[in-house]
């Protein structure tokens, strides 16, 4: 069985979907939407990635709801990823906090967190051509690949 799974919700410009595909490729993992997986199925994976755009300061509701429905007392390993209009240390940590805390409460160890900027035409921004045009860019993709390679090295056991 495949050891890792990437779950992504990406509705605005599919920015986070691009990151998910890159990570999924490196991990040799299927990439699925939250509505395509069940909590029971998730428990069978060694390493699970949860990602979405950041909407109103948090991951998408469908991911938070999925995390909420996961069985407790697990010893699984998870990682978080996102794209957002504004990223950076404390802001990203805050944006990730709800999902992180939900997963930790279920017993997951958080192996890593990745974030990069994503094209954003939310609200009034659409009248000005949006912000972060062209993001994720090649450098963001490279950073995501590097992050995923680190996860393989540190968290996936030999086949
Ligand atoms: C309804 C909505 C709310 C958003 N809220 C935030 C936010 O709170 N903080 C932020 O940095 N970006 C915010 N953004 C920008 C998105 O996080 C960004 O465009 C992201 O790359 C979208 O990812 P997606 O294309 O995978 O859906 C918001 C975008 C939308 C459409």
């Amino acid at each position: 069985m495949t050891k890792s799974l990437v779950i992504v919700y990406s509705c605005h410009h599919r920015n986070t979907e691009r990151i998910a595909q890159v990570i999924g490729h490196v991990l040799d993992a299927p990439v699925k939407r939250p509505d395509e997986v069940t909590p029971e199925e998730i428990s069978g994976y060694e390493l699970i990635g949860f990602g979405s755009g950041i909407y109103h300061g948090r991951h998408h509701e469908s991911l938070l709801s999925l995390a909420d429905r996961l069985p407790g007392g697990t010893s699984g390993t998870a990682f978080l990823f996102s794209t957002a209009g504004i990223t950076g240390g404390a802001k990203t940590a805050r944006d990730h906090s709800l999902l992180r805390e939900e997963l930790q409460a279920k017993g997951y160890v958080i192996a890593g967190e990745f974030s990069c900027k994503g094209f954003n035409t939310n609200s009034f921004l659409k009248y000005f051509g949006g912000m972060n045009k062209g993001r994720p860019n090649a450098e963001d993709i490279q950073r995501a690949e590097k992050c995923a390679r680190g996860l393989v090295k540190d968290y996936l056991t030999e086949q």
Side-chain angles (χ1 to χ4, degrees):
M1 174 178 154
T2 317
K3 293 178 171 186
S4 37
L5 172 67
V6 177
I7 305 169
V8 65
Y9 184 90
S10 180
C11 64
H12 189 37
H13 288 288
R14 310 200 73 170
N15 297 326
T16 325
E17 167 80 28
R18 289 181 55 207
I19 298 298
Q21 291 297 343
V22 167
I23 294 176
H25 184 73
V26 175
L27 297 182
D28 193 21
V31 178
K32 296 189 177 187
R33 293 191 312 268
D35 64 348
E36 292 178 314
V37 292
T38 62
E40 295 71 33
E41 178 187 348
I42 291 175
S43 310
Y45 287 89
E46 205 172 306
L47 177 67
I48 307 119
F50 294 84
S52 76
I54 295 299
Y55 316 104
H56 308 297
R58 50 174 67 183
H59 282 91
H60 191 259
E61 192 50 44
S62 58
L63 272 188
L64 294 168
S65 153
L66 180 63
D68 184 49
R69 285 180 282 119
L70 290 173
T74 160
S75 54
T77 307
F79 63 94
L80 310 184
F81 61 99
S82 66
T83 64
I86 300 169
T87 57
K91 198 265 185 189
T92 297
R94 205 166 47 244
D95 288 346
H96 284 193
S97 62
L98 265 186
L99 183 56
R100 184 192 313 115
E101 284 162 19
E102 188 65 66
L103 291 169
Q104 285 173 332
K106 297 298 168 81
Y108 282 88
V109 168
I110 305 299
E113 303 192 22
F114 175 88
S115 178
C116 71
K117 292 193 192 312
F119 184 41
N120 182 10
T121 55
N122 187 35
S123 186
F124 66 89
L125 290 169
K126 60 177 161 292
Y127 304 115
F128 303 98
M131 72 189 290
N132 306 331
K133 203 165 174 26
R135 305 291 293 269
N137 59 17
E139 202 179 307
D140 297 321
I141 298 291
Q142 269 180 14
R143 224 163 40 80
E145 275 171 352
K146 189 172 171 209
C147 172
R149 282 198 299 273
L151 291 169
V152 171
K153 184 168 150 290
D154 295 341
Y155 289 94
L156 289 180
T157 53
E158 295 292 319
Q159 300 281 350

